[in-house]
């Protein structure tokens, strides 16, 4: 009986692995960042580069409890595909949305920052840290404004 149970678990484990060739694989060359601990780089001219139209957005005055968003447009001005690996907000009131696919050279896309003003008041200034296969590997976007209480 035990042998049967172990066999079933083994069969489930083996068949649960998805080895589909239909999935797009990302080359490790795209993820490699040639920056060293000393700050020196090699092949810097062949790297992806993220260029934003602007890095700060001012919402102006918003009502307390309002949820606002802004789409920061960026372009990969580098020579290789750009991969955004993660975006970390400075606060739980800020939620980023970003493309999960590689961005080709000269291609543009958007990073959307959503801000929830519920329970907040007065002036706010928040940022998100963008981690990508660029040099430097982290850039920041900023949102600011003033929350009017009722």
């Amino acid at each position: 009986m035990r042998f049967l149970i172990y066999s079933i678990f083994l069969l489930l484990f083996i068949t649960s692995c998805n080895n589909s060739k239909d999935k797009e694989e990302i080359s490790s060359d795209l993820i490699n960042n040639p920056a060293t601990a000393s700050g020196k780089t090699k092949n810097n001219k062949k790297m992806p580069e993220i260029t934003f139209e602007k890095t700060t957005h001012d919402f102006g005055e918003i009502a307390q409890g309002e949820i606002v968003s802004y789409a920061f447009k960026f372009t990969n001005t580098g020579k290789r595909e750009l991969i955004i690996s993660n975006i970390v907000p400075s606060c739980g009131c800020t939620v980023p949305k970003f493309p999960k696919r590689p961005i080709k050279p000269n291609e543009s896309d958007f990073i959307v920052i959503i801000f929830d003003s519920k329970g907040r008041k007065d002036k706010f200034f928040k940022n998100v840290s963008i981690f990508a296969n660029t040099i430097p590997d982290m850039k920041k976007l900023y949102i600011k404004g003033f929350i009017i209480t009722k």
Side-chain angles (χ1 to χ4, degrees):
M1 183 65 175
R2 258 188 205 173
F3 178 74
L4 179 63
I5 292 172
Y6 289 130
S7 298
I8 291 171
F9 280 125
L10 181 61
L11 182 62
L12 288 172
F13 177 74
I14 291 171
T15 59
S16 68
C17 294
N18 187 357
N19 295 326
S20 172
K21 295 289 181 186
D22 295 337
K23 290 186 176 180
E24 181 179 341
E25 292 186 18
I26 296 176
S27 167
S28 63
D29 291 341
L30 296 174
I31 300 169
N32 182 28
N33 190 333
T36 64
S38 68
K40 295 179 182 178
T41 60
K42 57 183 179 177
N43 298 328
N44 196 11
K45 294 179 182 176
K46 294 183 180 181
M47 294 295 296
E49 187 173 336
I50 189 166
T51 304
F52 290 93
E53 285 186 349
K54 69 180 198 174
T55 56
T56 302
H57 178 71
D58 187 350
F59 286 107
E61 292 182 347
I62 63 172
Q64 186 179 44
E66 189 175 356
I67 297 174
V68 293
S69 66
Y70 183 76
F72 288 91
K73 184 176 182 182
F74 69 90
T75 302
N76 177 3
T77 55
K79 303 290 184 194
R80 291 218 168 151
E81 289 185 327
L82 169 70
I83 299 172
I84 299 172
S85 59
N86 197 14
I87 299 184
V88 179
S90 62
C91 172
C93 60
T94 308
V95 178
K97 292 189 179 187
F98 61 98
K100 308 287 194 256
R101 63 179 178 74
I103 308 299
K104 296 179 191 238
N106 299 314
E107 186 178 21
S108 295
D109 210 322
F110 295 90
I111 294 174
V112 178
I113 307 299
I114 303 163
F115 175 72
D116 185 353
S117 65
K118 180 181 178 183
R120 305 195 178 276
K121 64 180 181 176
D122 300 327
K123 192 175 189 178
F124 70 91
F125 187 78
K126 306 292 179 185
N127 70 69
V128 295
S129 300
I130 302 159
F131 295 92
N133 62 333
T134 57
I135 298 175
D137 65 347
M138 193 265 296
K139 291 207 174 190
K140 289 193 177 203
L141 295 175
Y142 304 91
I143 58 170
K144 62 182 181 175
F146 191 85
I147 302 167
I148 300 170
T149 55
K150 298 175 183 175

